[in-house]
């Protein structure tokens, strides 16, 4: 920068092209700043071309600094031409705006960090918190297992987005709703509610809605999940502890409900 200013002083100034190159802006930009009176070259060559003095080159760089702070060209012009004492007011205002922006950006960074953690861990709760919220039958390893199976899917990404914003209280509300649903499912099985009946269909839809707390679940996806869980010894044991045979019965009412709505369980796919 010192060499630039020395060359400028020695030669009577820098041409608009040279000044633009040294400042890292376009010639068009300097022409615009000249037209609005922001940075006007005081010299001219014998051919009438603009020449920027050392002071004017320095002013160009001050404009760039203020632009980096987010100030408008009008505000920059007022700052550059104001007495030193008057500069503090707009600069303090800009500082406050920058702090607000930093706060918002930090909030965005925190949200992204939580999404990354949720996508990796499956749930932003410790193993102890999971058991306390979801009950003693809950196995914290299920979250890792789900990530291993579904981590590549759009549904897992959707789940991670939702999980990232949930507190322990939010999860408690979801867990309470699941307990109520499971109790109603068990009572219906004991009462002999048949798959395909209206009552069974309502319960199957409630089950699908409960999955909606994690991701948008289609009938076809619910069928796939119901069959996988019914074939999984861990889930079978979980449902049997609530009501013997509940996992298989839940699969059957899901299948019947899907078939009633035009989805063949035998050809259902995860979509």
């Amino acid at each position: 920068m010192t060499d630039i200013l020395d060359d400028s002083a020695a030669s009577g100034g820098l041409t608009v092209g040279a000044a633009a190159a040294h400042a890292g802006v376009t010639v068009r930009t300097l022409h615009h700043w000249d037209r609005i009176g922001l940075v006007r070259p005081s010299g001219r060559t014998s051919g009438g071309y603009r020449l920027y003095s050392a002071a004017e080159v320095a002013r160009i760089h001050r404009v760039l600094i203020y632009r980096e702070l987010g100030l408008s060209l009008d505000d920059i012009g007022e700052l550059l031409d104001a007495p030193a004492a008057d500069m503090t007011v707009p600069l303090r205002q800009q500082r406050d705006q920058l702090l607000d922006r930093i706060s918002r950006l930090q909030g965005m960074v925190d949200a992204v960090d939580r999404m990354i953690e949720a996508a990796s861990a499956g749930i932003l709760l410790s193993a102890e918190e999971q058991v306390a919220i979801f009950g003693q039958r809950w196995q914290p390893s299920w979250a890792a297992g789900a990530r291993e199976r579904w981590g590549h899917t759009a549904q897992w990404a959707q789940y991670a987005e939702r999980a990232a914003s949930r507190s322990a209280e939010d999860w408690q509300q979801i867990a309470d709703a699941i307990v109520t649903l499971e109790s109603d499912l068990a009572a219906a099985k004991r009462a002999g509610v048949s798959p395909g009946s209206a009552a069974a269909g309502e319960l199957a839809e409630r089950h699908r809605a409960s999955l909606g707390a994690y991701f948008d679940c289609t009938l076809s996806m619910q069928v796939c999940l119901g069959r996988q869980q019914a074939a999984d010894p861990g889930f079978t044991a979980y449902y049997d502890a609530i009501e013997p045979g509940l996992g298989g019965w839940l699969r059957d009412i899901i299948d019947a409900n899907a078939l009633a709505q035009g989805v063949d369980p035998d050809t259902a796919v995860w979509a």
Side-chain angles (χ1 to χ4, degrees):
M1 180 67 183
T2 302
D3 292 340
I4 297 170
L5 298 182
D6 289 344
D7 291 344
S8 174
S11 64
L14 292 178
T15 64
V16 65
H22 284 303
V25 298
T26 65
V27 169
R28 184 177 180 179
T29 294
L30 292 187
H31 283 168
H32 176 63
W33 291 357
D34 184 5
R35 283 194 302 272
I36 65 175
L38 186 60
V39 183
R40 282 182 170 160
S42 58
R44 294 280 175 170
T45 67
S46 58
Y49 294 104
R50 298 171 176 85
L51 286 176
Y52 289 82
S53 68
E56 289 151 2
V57 172
R59 184 178 173 100
I60 290 172
H61 284 277
R62 290 179 65 196
V63 171
L64 293 175
I65 291 171
Y66 287 135
R67 282 185 66 192
E68 187 68 23
L69 294 176
L71 292 172
S72 69
L73 293 182
D74 288 341
D75 289 339
I76 292 172
E78 292 180 8
L79 269 174
L80 293 178
D81 296 331
D86 295 338
M87 293 177 58
T88 60
V89 174
L91 287 176
R92 288 183 187 278
Q93 292 174 344
Q94 188 63 20
R95 182 180 185 277
D96 290 341
Q97 293 175 15
L98 287 170
L99 289 175
D100 288 341
R101 189 186 305 173
I102 290 170
S103 179
R104 291 195 301 272
L105 290 174
Q106 185 59 56
M108 293 172 64
V109 170
D110 292 343
V112 170
D113 285 344
R114 286 180 62 83
M115 285 183 60
I116 292 172
E117 187 179 354
S120 300
I123 188 169
L124 300 184
L125 296 172
S126 67
E128 293 76 13
E129 288 174 323
Q130 291 179 49
V131 172
I133 291 173
F134 298 116
Q136 292 298 318
R137 293 191 303 273
W138 175 264
Q139 297 180 30
S141 62
W142 285 346
R147 179 178 60 81
E148 183 176 349
R149 176 174 289 180
W150 307 111
H152 64 285
T153 66
Q155 288 72 37
W156 184 264
Q158 190 176 57
Y159 161 72
E161 290 177 1
R162 297 176 183 182
S165 63
R166 284 180 177 151
S167 64
E169 291 75 17
D170 295 328
W171 283 116
Q172 186 64 65
Q173 291 180 3
I174 292 172
D176 291 343
I178 291 174
V179 169
T180 299
L181 172 62
E182 290 174 345
S183 176
D184 292 345
L185 288 168
K189 182 182 181 301
R190 285 194 298 270
V193 173
S194 301
S197 65
E202 289 179 3
L203 286 169
E205 283 301 318
R206 282 180 58 191
H207 176 266
R208 187 158 70 96
S210 73
L211 295 174
Y214 305 96
F215 56 86
D216 297 336
C217 184
T218 65
L219 286 164
S220 184
M221 291 161 63
Q222 184 189 22
V223 167
C224 293
L225 194 58
R227 291 190 169 196
Q228 287 169 356
Q229 289 185 348
D232 187 304
F235 276 102
T236 298
Y238 174 83
Y239 284 121
D240 282 349
I242 300 172
E243 174 69 20
L246 183 60
W249 181 81
L250 175 58
R251 173 203 58 211
D252 293 343
I253 69 168
I254 290 172
D255 284 359
N257 181 59
L259 187 62
Q261 298 189 58
V263 175
D264 184 351
D266 292 332
T267 59
V269 294
W270 187 262

